[in-house]
Amino acid sequence: METSTDKADGLRVLRGPLRLTWAGMWAEALVQALWPMLTLVLALLALLMMGAQDSLSGDLLWAVFAVLGIAFLGTLVFALRRFRVPSRADALARLDASLPGRPIRALLDDQAIGAGDAASAAVWKAHQKRMAARAAAAKPVKGDLRVSRADPYALRYLALLAFTVALVFGSVWRLGEVTQLTPGGAGGALASGPVWEGWAEPPRHTGKPTLYLNDLEAGALSLPAGTLITLRLYGELGALTVDETVSGREGGATSEPAQDFTLRQSGEISIEGPGARAWQITMLPDAAPQIERLGPPEVTALGEMSLPFAARDDYGVEAGEARISLDLASVDRRYGLTIDPDTRPEIVVPLPMPITGDRRDFEESLIENFSKHPWANLPVSLELSVLDAAEQQAVTEVSQLTLPGRRFFDPAAAAVIEMRRDLLWSRANAPRIAQVLRAVTYAPGEDLRSDVTVLRLKQLIRRLEIRARYGLDEEVQTEMAEDLWALAIELEEGVLADALARMRRAQDRLNEAMKNGASSAEIAELMEELRRATEEYLEQLQRQQAQEGEGEGQQPQGESMQMTQDDLQRMMDRIQELMEQGRMAEAAEALRQLQEMMENMRVTQGQPGEGGNSPGEQAMEGLSETLREQQGLSDQAFRDLQEQFNPGTGAGENEGNEGRNGGQSHEGQRGQGGQSGEEGAQEGLAGRQQALRDELRRQEGRLPGQGTPEGDAAREALEGAGEAMDRASDALRRDELAEAIDNQAQAMEALREGMRSLGDAMEQEQGEGQPGQGTAEGDRRAEARDPLGREQGGNGANSSDAPLAQGPDDQGRARRLLDEIRRRSGEAERPEIERDYLNRLLDRF
């Protein structure tokens, strides 16, 4: 009795796996038997949905249908012969075969002998329990759906692919046409009457899809202008007629089998006959593009023009161009411009288009440099135009302006550029240009400071006179203009090696710029040149004083004065501020005072009690500060990146870090927590990164050790740091924080490398410039030190400000220690408390 109970329990557990196995066997039997039929049906449906019946005549079409019918009968016979209904016993046998020892068959068996023997019955019962436990672990057996042996060419997959393509590109409605076909009808005659097909294909530039008119109900329909309407009429000629008023052509209804016309106006399209349909077409006109200037052109100090503009179109702007022509009526016809100019074509410059993104509405800037063009700094007429895909054009109003170009403030350079302009204005000006340039070289004074420049100018004059005698051609004119341009650039920028002469030249150029009303960009460029020239002069003066042995006991001679570089920086900042405010008289007076002070200045040498530092120490301090600010920016970007992936987690971390973020708190940058706040924060980070890059560029100009291997290595490292900062700034503007952090890490590593090289250069200069002290003085210093190497005070106490025992490599050890502290403070994986301590050490030392 117990054995029967175990058997029933074991079979009850098999119900689920047995049913699934049975279902798999049904699927297997159906697939093995019906796959040829399914393949044929899918292929036939694909052909019909793609309209294959339209290309066959009636008799041929029905012959094909007959062949397909015979093939269908063949697949049906194949299915009937192969199909076998799976029984429950078959499913049980398959499930049992999947288990080791066939436990299901063992459960169904009965004890043949020994049923009355208690020991034998106990053994049989244990066997049944073991088999029931093994059967309980049965899993459903999957059906074998593979038919690759019967279909080696994978015809079933080809039919499935064709059916999928027909679903996407064909029409299910075409299946209904098959029921209307009748045998013997020429050209696919219909049982219940003719049929038609139609398509509406909008112009490609609109991006609109092609419409199948058979799928559209009668009524109102909006289509873009230029849409191509295609109609095909099938059946007896005259049974279907088409009447349309959208193409603008004359004539009434027509029954031509193939009709194509373009939508040019709103109207109606109607099809009369079986399956009649009509649409009221509303034409959507293609609007003309629009373009406008967004403001006056901006000009840099080197003459590069940036002209902002905006363009828009309903489907997108294809191209645009700017046309610039000489406004001869507005030209001041004096001197070399009195004669008629040579004929020159107008300037045609393509407008920049967005490479990616939407061209339906965008803003761009035309950036070009016309400084070398003959019309530079002359009145011109400007016209911007754009074109859309329908070849519709939009043109701005013609505006008059002065064609931006580089301005020359050196008198000699300005004279050469004026003669170059006259030469390009007309080749007939050549004799007059030679006379003017000869007058310039007759008594040049200080205008032509270089004998080489004078010789080059005289050579140009001789060539010009010789060429003018026999007539100038266009090629020689262009060649002479290039030579005059190169000479003017040399006169403007100078090739002076002497720092004092370079500084005086920069001051003169700035004076001329203030007199001639230079733009803010030109003033900024000239002020930067004056700063660089002044710093070079200070470095040269320091080296000269060091070579002359001006020591601590010497006093300034005559009316010389002392001032630090910070004082000079403040004065130049004040001059630039006055010029930007338009207070040119006050700026000129401040510049005159600066010139007088520089003529009588004595630079502080960093002596004890004066608070001055050597150029190398000042450069090292500046780079240390730059490194700290770069570290703060990198930390800020890292926290912003964390908040992008884990919003709300950065607020608590920022509480202790605001002091090291370059002077701006993180919360202030994030704004109000919205998207606009995040964009503003990234713009703020990018602006701070760019400001730090500008500061590093200024520090590069003041870097000592030029010409030495160590100094050159430091400059190369700082150039690499600057390039990494530029990449970081661009990444921040694109909101690519991860890329920005990588570039900032490269910039910090390059800064550290530059500081190491600068320290080597300083150590080299000190080793060469400071001879060793005598042995007697060395003995006295040794006696005045305590056992730890510290110098003792006057009363025998240890001096608190004396360093520990110094050796020959004391500065090298200190530098290596500072480098190690900087390296550890820049490792983001270190604990925050440790990095705070390291940054406090850097702030102190």
Side-chain angles (χ1 to χ4, degrees), residues 106 182 205 215 230 242 256 416 421 646:
T182 179
H205 69 270
D215 294 341
T230 302
V242 176
E256 292 293 330
V416 171
R421 181 204 63 188
N646 300 295

Side-chain angles (χ1 to χ4, degrees), residues 388-441:
D388 66 1
E391 297 187 356
Q392 299 181 100
Q393 188 177 27
V395 182
T396 61
E397 295 183 358
V398 178
S399 55
Q400 280 71 33
L401 73 157
T402 299
L403 184 63
R406 178 169 180 171
R407 299 177 64 184
F408 291 80
F409 300 103
D410 183 87
V416 171
I417 283 297
E418 183 178 350
M419 294 302 101
R420 176 183 179 273
R421 181 204 63 188
D422 294 348
L423 178 62
L424 293 174
W425 179 267
S426 174
R427 291 190 288 272
N429 277 328
R432 176 184 173 277
I433 294 172
Q435 291 179 355
V436 173
L437 291 180
R438 280 200 175 277
V440 172
T441 58

Side-chain angles (χ1 to χ4, degrees), residues 297-306 367-371 404-406:
E298 299 178 358
V299 187
T300 65
L302 298 180
E304 185 178 68
M305 178 195 72
S306 177
I367 300 176
E368 288 288 339
N369 194 331
F370 298 105
S371 298
R406 178 169 180 171

Side-chain angles (χ1 to χ4, degrees), residues 464-482:
L464 187 60
E465 290 175 340
I466 295 173
R467 293 291 186 176
R469 192 176 305 165
Y470 301 101
L472 285 175
D473 56 17
E474 186 175 351
E475 182 179 356
V476 175
Q477 180 190 30
T478 303
E479 181 183 352
M480 296 292 296
E482 285 294 328

